[in-house]
Amino acid sequence: MSLLEARGLTRHFGGLRAVDGVDFDLAAGEIHALIGPNGAGKTTFVSLLSGRVPVQAGSIRLVGEDITRLPAHARVRKGIAYTFQITSVFPGLSVFDNVALAVQGGRGSARDLRGAVAAALSRVGLEAMASDIAGTLSYGHQRLLELAMGLALQPRVLILDEPTQGLAAGEIGNFKDLVRSLVPEVAVLLIEHNMEVVMDLAHRITVLNFGQVLARGTPAEVRASPAVQEAYLGA
């Protein structure tokens, strides 16, 4: 049984078929990349999985439970965390308080707050910045803070939307090491334009184009696909 399973997911906006009958499976302990050209439907698809956009047709199951109609906050408590393409930290609060808010909204909200925050910050290397104001951090550190907030939710599934956008080359290397350290405890769904990151991290890749699945498979299989080369990667 898949950890996260989608069947026939559909979302149209007027005449635009943003997501058009997509099937998808995420296995426990897997890093699964979702790629495709701009406008392929990637962000809409993960918004359907996380509950930020309602499904028009199809179904979503998490560990066998139908969550298709659950609102986003209920899916967070079930174990789906979503970090955004643009940083969504609270700039006026401390690093500690940002993560504390996430702890209180997650699956383990009744556990020791201070210990949970410290564990999440330590995981991403920000423990020394706990008292800093989030808005004063560098962009790279804000992305790490957002990741700490996601981990503080104790997710089964962590969705990362363009996490390396704006990061320096050295920061990308550290990010890849961090993502690898999350599995098998957490399954990661990675939406990413940086193909070097995708090919290096992903166990499997799903390619979307015009709201439909163009290809899926291992990095080697996707790289070798003529259809993917024509639509996205280039020959």
Side-chain angles (χ1 to χ4, degrees), residues 134-162:
T136 68
L137 300 182
S138 69
Y139 184 81
H141 283 148
Q142 287 190 31
R143 298 311 302 254
L144 287 176
L145 173 56
E146 190 183 36
L147 183 54
M149 293 165 68
L151 294 175
L153 295 168
Q154 289 196 317
R156 292 183 171 106
V157 176
L158 180 62
I159 301 173
L160 302 175
D161 195 349
E162 299 290 351

Side-chain angles (χ1 to χ4, degrees), residues 153-184:
L153 295 168
Q154 289 196 317
R156 292 183 171 106
V157 176
L158 180 62
I159 301 173
L160 302 175
D161 195 349
E162 299 290 351
T164 68
Q165 182 175 289
L167 297 187
E171 292 174 325
I172 290 176
N174 292 336
F175 166 79
K176 289 193 292 186
D177 291 341
L178 177 57
V179 171
R180 287 192 191 97
S181 77
L182 301 180
V183 297

Side-chain angles (χ1 to χ4, degrees), residues 115-135:
V117 172
L121 290 177
S122 176
R123 193 74 181 266
V124 303
L126 291 182
E127 60 269 37
M129 298 181 179
S131 61
D132 292 1
I133 299 302

Side-chain angles (χ1 to χ4, degrees), residues 77-127:
R77 291 193 175 274
K78 293 288 185 181
I80 297 179
Y82 181 10
T83 69
F84 299 94
Q85 186 172 354
I86 301 170
T87 54
S88 59
V89 302
F90 299 97
L93 298 181
S94 70
V95 168
F96 181 96
D97 287 343
N98 268 271
V99 179
L101 286 173
V103 170
Q104 291 168 336
R107 286 200 298 147
S109 57
R111 70 198 190 283
D112 172 56
L113 177 65
R114 186 165 293 276
V117 172
L121 290 177
S122 176
R123 193 74 181 266
V124 303
L126 291 182
E127 60 269 37

Side-chain angles (χ1 to χ4, degrees), residues 8-12 17-23 210-213:
L9 277 200
T10 299
R11 179 70 204 199
H12 298 169
R17 296 171 178 258
V19 176
D20 194 19
V22 171
D23 293 343
F210 297 112
Q212 298 181 330
V213 175

